[in-house]
């Protein structure tokens, strides 16, 4: 019964199944009408003869005699053989495919249930892809939801990535995503209506979720904020990196340090150990509230090694860095990102043991006291 249910459900969804049913009907009609007009049988015997011939049973109680009757019987029998082969093949392939879908669904459900400390990316268009690339640079875990399946084809297999073909506007989809265990929800579909609905539903289901939404039109920014988005970014003025930083904001840590150029390599080594990254560097001048800041971005291991090698081998580069560090008495800050807060805590704890950390998430007044102290 279960196999029959699966078969019938597959036929409903599959055009090939519908065509197959039409072929069966045509063959039955051919057999019944041929039996009546060629074999000269009554309606009951015609149905009987058609069934046993198609099934290749052939009891021999009705025997074709004339050449036309023989040709009709042969063609009907051959049609029956082909029909049986088609039915058996279709049942096997349908049941196999459905079992595969069931297994895949269970595997996907298990992976989703086990996901935590991840980001959820709704929409995988141009903006979604840009945000995804920023997440991948930092080895973040992410669940991607996209209703157009072909957009997910180019995503490479990765234990940190789940690509889900689904509609993020549906409650049943959102409830599968472990939003309460995630680091943030990033909504980047091309439709502000869909974005508004996703934000509103997510906020209703998960009051503490950190939600970042794209707004294609500026007039919808306030609507999305009222719906529950913590931050709303317009791609007209911002790129994928801006949306990423808005999404990770609760998990960024601002650390203030004092060390010279010679210690940069050791600092990068410690951060690499915990898969954390220096997103920028801020040079603090006494009495000036806004630091001089520059973006570092994500460097891979080779880029970091090349950078350290350049400092050690190129006198001009080293002198330039030392001049900046000396000007601010080696006091500077970084925004640090990492897979989650636990990794950041481990990295900061090790940096503290090295004696270079002045403080974490310090205010301007606190940093200014350090710059004043070291200035004197």
């Amino acid at each position: 019964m279960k196999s029959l249910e699966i078969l019938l459900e597959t036929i409903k969804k599959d055009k090939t199944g519908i065509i197959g049913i039409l072929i069966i009907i045509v063959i039955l009609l051919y057999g019944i009408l041929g039996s009546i007009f060629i074999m000269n049988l009554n309606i009951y015997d015609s149905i009987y003869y058609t069934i046993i011939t198609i099934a290749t049973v052939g009891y021999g109680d009705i025997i074709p005699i004339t050449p036309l009757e023989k040709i009709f019987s042969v063609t009907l029998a051959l049609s029956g053989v082909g029909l049986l082969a088609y039915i058996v093949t279709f049942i096997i392939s349908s049941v196999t495919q459905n079992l595969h879908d069931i297994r895949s669904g269970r595997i996907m459900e298990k992976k989703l249930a086990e996901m935590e400390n991840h980001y959820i990316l709704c929409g995988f268009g141009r903006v979604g892809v840009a945000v995804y690339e920023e997440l991948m640079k930092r080895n973040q875990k992410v669940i991607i939801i996209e209703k157009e399946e072909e957009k997910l084809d180019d995503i490479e297999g990765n234990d940190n990535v789940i690509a889900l073909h689904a509609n993020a506007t549906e409650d049943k989809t959102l409830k599968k995503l472990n939003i309460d265990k995630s680091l943030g929800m990033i909504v980047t579909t091309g439709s502000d209506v869909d974005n508004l609905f996703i934000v509103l539903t997510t906020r209703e289901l998960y009051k503490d979720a950190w939600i970042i939404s794209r707004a294609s039109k500026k007039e919808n920014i306030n609507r999305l904020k009222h719906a529950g988005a913590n931050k709303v970014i317009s791609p007209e003025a911002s790129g994928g990196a801006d949306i990423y930083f808005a999404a990770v904001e609760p998990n960024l840590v601002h650390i203030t340090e004092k060390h010279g150029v010679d210690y940069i390599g050791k600092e990068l080594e410690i951060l690499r150990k915990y898969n954390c990254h220096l997103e920028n560097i801020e040079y603090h001048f006494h009495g000036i509230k806004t630091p001089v800041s520059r973006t570092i971005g994500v460097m891979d291991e080779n880029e970091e090694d090349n950078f350290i090698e350049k400092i050690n081998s190129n006198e001009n580069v080293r002198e330039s860095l030392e001049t900046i560090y000396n000007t601010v008495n080696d006091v500077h800050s970084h925004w640090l990102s990492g897979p989650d807060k636990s990794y950041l805590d481990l990295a900061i704890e090790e940096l503290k043991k090295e004696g270079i950390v002045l403080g974490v998430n310090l205010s301007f007044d606190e940093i200014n006291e350090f710059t004043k102290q070291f200035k004197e």
Side-chain angles (χ1 to χ4, degrees):
M1 285 297 292
K2 186 65 177 176
S3 297
L4 182 59
E5 289 175 12
I6 292 174
L7 176 62
L8 292 174
E9 185 63 27
T10 304
I11 288 173
K12 289 178 186 177
K13 298 178 182 178
D14 194 341
K15 290 182 179 179
T16 306
I18 295 173
I19 293 172
I21 290 174
L22 292 175
I23 292 173
I24 293 171
I25 292 171
V26 169
I27 293 174
L28 288 172
L29 287 174
Y30 169 69
I32 293 169
L33 294 175
S35 297
I36 292 172
F37 294 107
I38 297 175
M39 301 288 294
N40 298 312
L41 302 175
N42 61 44
I43 184 66
Y44 301 109
D45 288 339
S46 296
I47 294 172
Y48 167 73
Y49 184 71
T50 298
I51 297 300
I52 65 170
T53 304
I54 288 175
T56 67
V57 175
Y59 292 117
D61 50 345
I62 300 175
I63 300 173
I65 298 172
T66 68
L68 181 59
E69 290 177 348
K70 291 178 180 178
I71 292 172
F72 164 71
S73 297
V74 168
T75 55
L76 184 59
L78 289 176
S79 299
V81 171
L83 177 61
L84 286 174
Y86 170 82
I87 291 173
V88 171
T89 303
F90 183 76
I91 289 174
I92 292 173
S93 63
S94 298
V95 172
T96 302
Q97 181 61 45
N98 276 275
L99 289 174
H100 172 73
D101 291 343
I102 290 169
R103 290 194 193 99
S104 298
R106 286 175 181 167
I107 292 171
M108 177 66 76
E109 286 178 6
K110 183 179 179 182
K111 288 178 70 176
L112 288 170
E114 292 174 349
M115 199 66 128
E116 57 184 29
N117 293 325
H118 58 287
Y119 289 92
I120 298 160
L121 180 59
C122 301
F124 203 62
R126 177 180 57 83
V127 176
V129 170
V131 177
Y132 170 73
E133 289 172 352
E134 295 294 332
L135 290 164
M136 289 300 94
K137 287 177 186 177
R138 296 161 177 83
N139 297 317
Q140 298 284 9
K141 292 188 286 186
V142 58
I143 298 174
I144 302 167
I145 298 91
E146 171 55 54
K147 60 184 177 182
E148 295 181 31
E149 191 171 10
E150 63 274 10
K151 290 184 179 180
L152 302 174
D153 291 343
D154 295 331
I155 298 176
E156 296 180 3
N158 188 323
D159 290 340
N160 286 341
V161 178
I162 296 177
L164 185 63
H165 172 224
N167 189 342
T169 62
E170 296 178 355
D171 288 16
K172 65 179 182 180
T173 299
L174 295 175
K175 289 176 180 178
K176 295 178 181 178
L177 307 178
N178 265 6
I179 295 176
D180 54 332
K181 295 182 181 178
S182 72
L183 298 176
M185 164 79 82
I186 309 169
V187 187
T188 60
T189 79
S191 165
D192 282 355
V193 174
D194 284 351
N195 293 344
L196 186 66
F197 195 86
I198 295 168
V199 169
L200 188 63
T201 306
T202 303
R203 182 57 69 207
E204 287 178 351
L205 293 172
Y206 306 96
K207 298 187 184 302
D208 298 327
W210 180 258
I211 306 172
I212 305 303
S213 178
R214 166 190 180 177
S216 298
K217 297 180 179 179
K218 290 181 179 179
E219 58 264 30
N220 291 326
I221 291 176
N222 285 333
R223 293 189 181 101
L224 285 159
K225 286 182 178 178
H226 290 315
N230 297 93
K231 291 281 184 77
V232 181
I233 308 293
S234 173
E236 296 173 7
S238 307
D242 296 301
I243 296 176
Y244 167 78
F245 283 118
V248 302
E249 185 177 306
N251 301 294
L252 287 175
V253 175
H254 191 253
I255 183 171
T256 303
E257 305 173 333
K258 177 178 169 58
H259 67 74
V261 173
D262 288 332
Y263 203 82
I264 294 175
K266 179 65 175 177
E267 181 181 25
L268 292 175
E269 180 184 326
I270 291 171
L271 293 173
R272 182 192 300 172
K273 178 180 175 181
Y274 298 103
N275 198 20
C276 296
H277 303 278
L278 296 174
E279 297 292 350
N280 76 338
I281 183 167
E282 298 172 351
Y283 300 107
H284 299 286
F285 296 89
H286 177 65
I288 300 176
K289 191 165 187 176
T290 304
V292 175
S293 177
R294 69 181 180 86
T295 301
I296 296 175
V298 178
M299 294 190 292
D300 60 30
E301 193 170 325
N302 289 332
E303 289 173 324
E304 289 179 356
D305 291 341
N306 290 337
F307 177 61
I308 299 303
E309 176 62 27
K310 188 176 288 187
I311 292 174
N312 294 330
S313 62
N314 190 315
E315 290 185 7
N316 291 331
V317 172
R318 187 178 185 86
E319 286 179 7
S320 297
L321 278 174
E322 286 180 340
T323 298
I324 297 173
Y325 273 65
N326 290 335
T327 302
V328 296
N329 295 294
D330 294 337
V331 178
H332 57 279
S333 297
H334 300 288
W335 282 103
L336 300 184
S337 67
D340 58 50
K341 191 174 182 301
S342 63
Y343 283 89
L344 285 166
D345 289 342
L346 290 170
I348 292 170
E349 189 61 33
E350 189 160 338
L351 290 171
K352 285 180 177 178
K353 289 178 181 178
E354 295 291 324
I356 65 169
V357 178
L358 298 176
V360 177
N361 294 328
L362 299 178
S363 66
F364 162 72
D365 291 335
E366 291 171 321
I367 294 174
N368 202 43
E369 282 299 313
F370 282 117
T371 57
K372 178 182 177 181
Q373 174 187 337
F374 295 125
K375 183 174 184 296
E376 293 171 350

